[in-house]
Amino acid sequence: MDPILLIDDEESTLTILTEVLEGDGYQVLVARNGEEGLALFDSNRISLVITDMVMPVKDGLDTMLELSKKDSSLPIVAISAGGAIPKERYLEMAGYFNNTSTLAKPFTAEELLAV
């Protein structure tokens, strides 16, 4: 199975989600912003992208837009704890993309694996 690409600017989130996913048998590649994520996507076969919505350099919406242009069938999970606007608004916008699921932070390991 191709790896999951995990994009988030919070080290603790990257660490915890990587442990959960690897513990369930998945291979995980990590990026700290959308720009890093797109570079990893371009150089690897990716089965799923999990991306935070609020990040420096390139945010989740811009990242999702570019990913959907590269592969319109790529499944994406958008995650957010909010920022300048409530997390529900970020996730609502992400939900307009095809093949996209959303999770509001905080979420459980079981909720992540179910998605």
Side-chain angles (χ1 to χ4, degrees), residues 7 34-35 37-38 41-42 49 51-53 55 58-78 90 93-100:
I7 309 170
E35 204 167 89
L38 289 167
F41 180 83
D42 288 341
V49 173
T51 184
D52 189 23
M53 298 304 295
M55 299 178 289
K58 184 178 289 292
D59 68 24
L61 283 177
D62 287 341
T63 302
M64 290 173 62
L65 183 60
E66 289 193 38
L67 288 169
S68 67
K69 288 178 184 176
K70 295 172 185 280
D71 182 355
S72 62
S73 65
L74 177 70
I76 298 173
V77 177
Y90 284 111
M93 289 183 281
Y96 290 116
F97 286 83
N98 289 334
N99 301 316
T100 300

